[in-house]
Amino acid sequence: MNGPEHYTRAEQLLREVRDGHQEGTDVAAILAAAQVHATLALAAATALNDNAADSGGMPLEDFDAWVQAAAVRKPKRKGGEAR
């Protein structure tokens, strides 16, 4: 699992708790798993940093993966493009 995948999984687990979980699941265990995934995502993002790839920083494909995983997107307007 890469950093963006850990980030996405943490969000999924938190939504699961927020939206209601299946009977018999351990909410504390779900939250602990979400925290682990969030910590691993943070470690990956920190390790990759934001320097240019040729300076030892984040390669463009990793940057794109982070944008897809963590970017805040504005909702699209009816019949058109996002603002």
Side-chain angles (χ1 to χ4, degrees), residues 43-81:
T46 302
L48 291 171
N49 67 55
D50 63 350
N51 292 325
D54 60 355
S55 300
M58 186 180 303
L60 185 57
E61 51 275 358
D62 289 335
F63 177 81
D64 290 340
W66 275 111
V67 168
Q68 290 300 312
V72 175
R73 293 173 183 80
K74 295 181 182 179
K76 290 185 178 179
R77 291 186 290 175
K78 232 181 182 179
E81 302 171 16

Side-chain angles (χ1 to χ4, degrees), residues 2-40:
N2 63 27
E5 291 167 342
H6 280 295
Y7 182 92
T8 301
R9 184 63 180 142
E11 285 190 326
Q12 290 169 344
L13 291 168
L14 292 173
R15 273 193 303 275
E16 182 180 321
V17 170
R18 180 195 67 199
D19 296 341
H21 52 281
Q22 292 183 333
E23 194 68 31
T25 58
D26 184 354
V27 173
I30 295 170
L31 291 173
Q35 181 63 52
V36 168
H37 283 289
T39 301
L40 292 170

